[in-house]
Structure formats: structure tokens, C-alpha cells
Amino acid sequence: MSPAKDREGCENGSTFKKKAKKIRTKVTFHRPRTLKTNRNAKYPRISALPRNKLDHYQVLKYPLTTESAMKKIEDNYTLVFIVDIWADKKKIEAAVKKIYDIQTKKVRSRQ
């Protein structure tokens, strides 16, 4: 390139353009929202799925064998069990059906 062409480019201002300064109209600065990508795990963080700790054999702990429970068994054909505190009525009913192969008419539970 010749020195004359260099001067010509500088005079026109085509080589260096000065960026216009942005005029701020508000006092507070709000960070611009940028692209948010989802996490991409390289490997699972847990090796195995957690097992169900409240299976049928854990729901029913043991049958109650007090005198009042025996009276209920003889008079009302009612079975009395001590059950896990986290078991709800549907889990109790399913456990009795699976372990003892009997249909339950009603489950009454209390804390």
C-alpha cells in the first residue's frame, strides 16, 4: 500500500469507527437476560434407585394378642394388627390381602 492511500483511509474514517456512547435514561441497571441452557449431566448422581422401605411385610408388624383383641376376633370376626406408623389404609388393606389372602371389609386405623 502506498502512503497516499493510508492517508486517504484515515481521512475518510473508514478504518476506525468510534462506537457511539449509549445514552442512559434510567438510574438503575438491569442485567440483560441471556440464554439459559439446561443442565447436561455426564453421569447419574445416584448409583441405584432407592428401594421401597414400606413393603407388605413392613406395613404389618405383628398381630395384637391381648384379651380385648381376642374378644374382637371371636365376637366380631375382626383381626387386630400393629402396623407401621407411615402406613395408610390402602397400604394396610393391600398388605393384608397379599399376606393372608383375605378380602378386607373395612380398615380402621388410629394414631
Side-chain angles (χ1 to χ4, degrees):
M1 272 193 164
S2 67
K5 275 200 167 185
D6 285 341
R7 266 188 261 116
E8 197 177 291
C10 290
E11 288 169 6
N12 292 343
S14 61
T15 54
F16 298 107
K17 283 193 174 179
K18 194 169 186 181
K19 192 175 178 183
K21 192 164 186 169
K22 185 178 177 182
I23 299 169
R24 303 235 176 243
T25 56
K26 295 184 175 110
V27 180
T28 56
F29 174 77
H30 294 289
R31 181 182 53 82
R33 290 193 173 102
T34 57
L35 179 69
K36 291 180 183 175
T37 56
N38 290 334
R39 294 173 66 173
N40 187 11
K42 303 292 186 252
Y43 61 92
R45 294 295 187 253
I46 53 173
S47 60
L49 294 173
R51 68 176 182 86
N52 184 14
K53 292 181 182 144
L54 205 62
D55 63 344
H56 296 299
Y57 297 100
Q58 294 291 86
V59 170
L60 297 178
K61 290 185 176 178
Y62 53 89
L64 193 64
T65 56
T66 59
E67 284 186 29
S68 60
M70 289 303 189
K71 190 170 186 326
K72 278 187 182 178
I73 291 170
E74 292 167 2
D75 297 343
N76 304 336
Y77 302 108
T78 303
L79 296 174
V80 183
F81 288 98
I82 300 298
V83 296
D84 194 273
I85 196 161
W86 294 106
D88 55 5
K89 291 186 179 192
K90 289 183 179 176
K91 287 179 184 170
I92 294 169
E93 187 174 345
V96 169
K97 183 173 180 161
K98 176 154 181 163
I99 295 171
Y100 294 102
D101 292 326
I102 54 173
Q103 284 290 103
T104 55
K105 200 171 192 183
K106 188 201 290 190
V107 176
R108 294 190 306 175
S109 63
R110 60 179 176 202
Q111 290 282 332

